[in-house]
Amino acid sequence: MTDLRIRPAVHADLDIVLAFWKTAAEGTSISDDRAGVERLVARDPEALILAESGGELVGTVIAGFDGWRCHLYRLAVCPQRRRQGIGSALLAAAEDRFVRLGGRRADAMVLVRNEQAHPAWSAAGYGPQEHWRRWVKPLTD
């Protein structure tokens, strides 16, 4: 994949990213709206990482670092472009970012039902931690 370009998102990308997630991402999030993604990019301009090929968006990952933990969200690759190294390139960019920021361990939000993604995460060196459970509370309606 020689024409793959990895870069941080900018505000002009946000509508394209949101439309992309509707077809390429598994599941939805309460933050999958323009305001949510704008807050992400405003707070941490390098957190939303894009992969482009031929000027077209083909993948995304959110590499969030809060100063303590490294969190991966929204790893999504265009369904027609999967198994071409795009996800691996995005993860490498995210992990490089974490290392530059002083991060020591990354975790990924992966839906249990997204069984298609499990082998990819495993191949990248990630594994489930069965002794942890995610507890959530919506802060808005």
Side-chain angles (χ1 to χ4, degrees):
M1 174 122 330
T2 59
D3 70 333
L4 191 65
R5 179 178 177 223
I6 305 291
R7 66 171 179 86
V10 296
H11 283 279
D13 298 315
L14 302 187
D15 289 330
I16 294 165
V17 168
L18 288 164
F20 177 79
W21 284 344
K22 289 180 180 177
T23 61
E26 182 71 23
T28 58
S29 168
I30 194 170
S31 301
D32 284 358
D33 59 24
R34 177 75 187 211
V37 181
E38 282 178 346
R39 277 190 301 277
L40 169 68
V41 172
R43 183 186 177 287
D44 188 349
E46 295 184 357
L48 176 54
I49 302 170
L50 308 182
E52 296 176 323
S53 179
E56 179 182 340
L57 180 62
V58 295
T60 68
V61 69
I62 297 173
F65 181 63
D66 60 14
W68 181 259
R69 305 230 187 234
C70 305
H71 304 287
L72 295 164
Y73 311 92
R74 281 291 183 233
L75 177 63
V77 175
C78 177
Q80 298 79 17
R81 302 292 301 269
R82 292 181 180 157
R83 303 195 56 77
Q84 297 178 14
I86 296 167
S88 295
L90 285 163
L91 284 178
E95 291 167 357
D96 288 348
R97 176 178 197 269
F98 292 151
V99 170
R100 282 193 319 272
L101 293 172
R104 299 188 298 185
R105 178 181 65 192
D107 64 57
M109 296 294 300
V110 183
L111 290 171
V112 172
R113 72 172 189 256
N114 189 0
E115 293 180 10
Q116 181 180 358
H118 298 176
W121 283 102
S122 182
Y126 291 80
Q129 284 190 319
E130 301 300 336
H131 60 279
W132 292 99
R133 171 108 23 219
R134 181 176 180 218
W135 294 40
V136 298
K137 175 186 174 183
L139 300 176
T140 61
D141 292 330

